[in-house]
Amino acid sequence: MSTMESSKRGGPARNSQRTIWLALILGQALVAASIIMLVRSRPSAHPQLWSEHATDRDALRLEGADLKKRLESWRRRAIEVALDPNDILGSGLGALTNSITTSTGTIAGEAAVGAGGTCNPNGHPVTAIAPLNPKYLMRPAAEVEAENPEFAQLLAAHANDKREIMLGLTNAVMICKNTTLCWWNGGNILESFLEILERSNVTNHLIGVTDDQAAKYLEDRAASRGPATFKINWFRPNVRIPDVQANTREANRVSSLKFSLLQTSLQLGYHTLITDMDLVYISNPFNELHRDADIESSSDGFDLMAYGSMNSVHDTTMGWGGGGLYMETFTINVGCAYIRATHRAFAVVKRAADELASQPGWDQQVFNIHLLTQSHGDYSSPYATLRVMDIDKFVNSKRYFRTRRTAYLPGASSSAPTPVMVHFNYHPDKHARMLCIMDRYFRGKLDACDKFPGGSDPGTR
């Protein structure tokens, strides 16, 4: 039998065997592929559980990176279903989730920087900024509440549903029975401010009373008006004015105290509108807030410099290279400033409070220095974001009575919209002008402010 004949006889059998083997191999491959796809498509297993007793540096670093990812994911999902992280985690951890990673790619905290220092919003890497100094981070709300239970209860009782509170301070000087002390030519500013709260319906307020005379005034006033009237929420703070402010002006002493209270309210998770009393809220200021910055404040500016403007210098002795540009802006006025309960806003407040506790100073100047000074050398800015309130809604008295006078006065032909607030920070006859604003906007006396000059001297415009 020839070799060819043998091949022909065994050919069909061998081909059949090969077909069977190929089918088996293909079947096994399909089974393996199906198993892989099932494993990949099944829900992810529970994240790795880390031992709470672990102290190994590498293990802690990995655990921190894992917690960061999980917290970022949780925060995004919570916001999508309209859950506030503060309500779930408390103000301290809730604020921390906001600072770990936001849509702008800002990362705060050593763990985040140590885990890589960058993030990828929309595919664009963003370098992390330096972490905040731990000295200026807010403490956990539970710790602060344990130390200040009465103040915490007051905030919880009187804040609005956004956890916002208006916080002011008063003493007997505001009643002004002694015109030498009150420095504004007489008039009961406290009484007018209480009427303003009622007229503008600011129910989410707290007034800290620093002496017995003012406390008795409020007690007697409430008793005479009865329980059915607008309620004034007041308390006696358990903090003291720093010793270094003892011999400064009365206004400075009270102002330095408000930063101590402000630190507490922020750490308890309450966004705080700090307020002076020499102003008139014509409508509820909380209805006009943007709430898109760490600090949203009125300005001492009476023109566009309130928002910042570009200017230049030219030194002719330098020839063609003697020019230079610079920005100029007015300071913000902490007599009407909305400060959110964020680590960066708190850092500004604490730096100002620490300075006022160690040396005499004007609270507004100190606050602006720490808010506006840029990082340089060894100095690191708190990086708090700032929104300047609309200067024709939150108006200071120089803009109202002088630089934009023709828009506001005479009242019968005014072209300016009704302000939200007018602050009498520029004029010494504070109370008289407060009353004219109240008469004009609360009682409809359009010409009530027409007689007042632009400046302090008669006849000035």
Side-chain angles (χ1 to χ4, degrees):
M1 183 183 296
S2 67
T3 303
M4 186 171 289
E5 288 176 342
S6 175
S7 176
K8 285 180 179 179
R9 289 180 181 178
R14 289 197 183 99
N15 289 338
S16 177
Q17 290 175 352
R18 289 195 189 100
T19 302
I20 293 171
W21 280 108
L22 287 172
L24 288 172
I25 292 171
L26 182 59
Q28 291 175 340
L30 289 172
V31 170
S34 299
I35 292 173
I36 291 172
M37 291 180 68
L38 283 172
V39 170
R40 288 184 175 180
S41 63
R42 65 185 289 192
S44 59
H46 191 280
Q48 180 173 355
L49 297 177
W50 300 93
S51 170
E52 64 181 11
H53 304 295
T55 56
D56 178 76
R57 288 174 59 87
D58 291 336
L60 288 172
R61 183 176 286 107
L62 290 172
E63 181 180 353
D66 178 61
L67 288 173
K68 172 178 173 289
K69 291 178 182 177
R70 292 167 60 191
L71 193 56
E72 290 170 1
S73 173
W74 175 86
R75 179 179 176 276
R76 285 193 296 269
R77 288 181 282 116
I79 291 174
E80 286 174 1
V81 296
L83 281 177
D84 185 349
N86 288 327
D87 293 339
I88 309 299
L89 300 178
S91 61
L93 282 174
L96 185 58
T97 66
N98 290 331
S99 64
I100 288 178
T101 300
T102 67
S103 59
T104 60
T106 300
I107 299 177
E110 294 180 1
V113 174
T118 60
C119 64
N120 255 324
N122 302 321
H124 300 283
V126 177
T127 303
I129 60 175
L132 285 170
N133 186 332
K135 177 181 178 181
Y136 300 117
L137 286 175
M138 291 191 287
R139 295 164 53 209
E143 290 183 11
V144 179
E145 182 174 355
E147 297 170 2
N148 303 272
E150 294 180 0
F151 190 40
Q153 289 174 6
L154 286 168
L155 289 167
H158 299 301
N160 65 14
D161 58 1
K162 294 185 176 69
R163 296 178 67 84
E164 296 172 330
I165 194 76
M166 176 186 283
L167 181 63
L169 285 170
T170 193
N171 57 16
V173 175
M174 290 289 108
I175 303 170
C176 196
K177 291 185 177 180
N178 183 335
T179 56
T180 302
L181 291 177
C182 72
W183 78 84
W184 55 81
N185 302 327
N188 190 337
I189 283 182
L190 174 58
E191 179 59 38
S192 294
F193 185 77
L194 301 181
E195 180 185 342
I196 289 162
L197 290 179
E198 183 172 2
R199 290 273 187 167
S200 55
N201 196 34
V202 182
T203 57
N204 58 320
H205 68 269
L206 271 177
I207 299 175
V209 179
T210 63
D211 58 32
D212 293 337
Q213 288 176 275
K216 186 176 187 308
Y217 180 88
L218 290 173
E219 289 171 349
D220 293 345
R221 184 182 188 274
S224 66
R225 287 166 59 90
T229 56
F230 184 86
K231 183 183 178 184
I232 300 300
N233 310 317
W234 64 276
F235 69 108
R236 293 294 295 266
N238 61 353
V239 291
R240 59 192 296 270
I241 296 171
D243 292 338
V244 294
Q245 303 294 342
N247 296 318
T248 61
R249 292 178 62 236
E250 180 71 23
N252 286 6
R253 294 199 294 273
V254 173
S255 294
S256 63
L257 181 61
K258 73 184 177 186
F259 283 103
S260 297
L261 289 172
L262 185 54
Q263 287 183 83
T264 304
S265 65
L266 294 178
Q267 291 183 107
L268 288 169
Y270 291 91
H271 313 304
T272 305
L273 179 62
I274 198 78
T275 186
D276 286 346
M277 293 190 175
D278 61 335
L279 47 72
V280 178
Y281 291 109
I282 299 165
S283 59
N284 192 322
F286 289 97
N287 296 336
E288 299 294 334
L289 296 174
H290 287 259
R291 300 177 175 86
D292 61 352
D294 294 308
I295 296 169
E296 187 171 351
S297 178
S298 60
S299 173
D300 278 337
F302 41 80
D303 55 23
L304 292 180
M305 199 193 301
Y307 308 129
S309 60
M310 186 72 73
N311 211 328
S312 63
V313 293
H314 185 73
D315 183 350
T316 56
T317 65
M318 300 293 292
W320 63 264
L325 301 175
Y326 63 92
M327 287 292 294
E328 54 185 2
T329 186
F330 269 94
T331 53
I332 65 165
N333 193 301
V334 290
C336 177
Y338 177 73
I339 303 176
R340 293 184 61 82
T342 67
H343 285 292
R344 301 195 182 283
F346 176 77
V348 180
V349 172
K350 180 162 176 54
R351 289 186 189 201
D354 288 352
E355 182 170 332
L356 290 169
S358 63
Q359 60 187 24
W362 180 26
D363 67 306
Q364 181 156 307
Q365 179 178 348
V366 172
F367 189 88
N368 273 274
I369 287 172
H370 290 291
L371 173 64
L372 301 176
T373 300
Q374 301 177 47
S375 296
H376 61 279
D378 294 331
Y379 177 81
S380 186
S381 166
Y383 303 106
T385 55
L386 170 66
R387 169 180 279 274
V388 177
M389 292 172 170
D390 188 322
I391 59 175
D392 282 315
K393 289 185 176 180
F394 294 83
V395 192
N396 63 53
S397 59
K398 185 170 183 178
R399 184 163 178 84
Y400 190 97
F401 286 98
R402 188 158 195 173
T403 61
R404 206 174 177 230
R405 183 183 183 90
T406 56
Y408 289 104
L409 301 171
S413 58
S414 172
S415 62
T418 299
V420 176
M421 177 275 286
V422 182
H423 190 179
F424 300 91
N425 55 327
Y426 274 102
H427 289 84
D429 53 343
K430 292 176 180 292
H431 191 246
R433 294 187 189 237
M434 283 179 69
L435 292 177
C436 92
I437 292 292
M438 294 169 71
D439 282 342
R440 173 175 172 175
Y441 294 104
F442 291 160
R443 303 178 182 95
K445 299 179 181 179
L446 296 182
D447 64 347
C449 297
D450 293 358
K451 64 182 179 182
F452 287 90
S456 299
D457 297 331
T460 55
R461 284 290 185 265

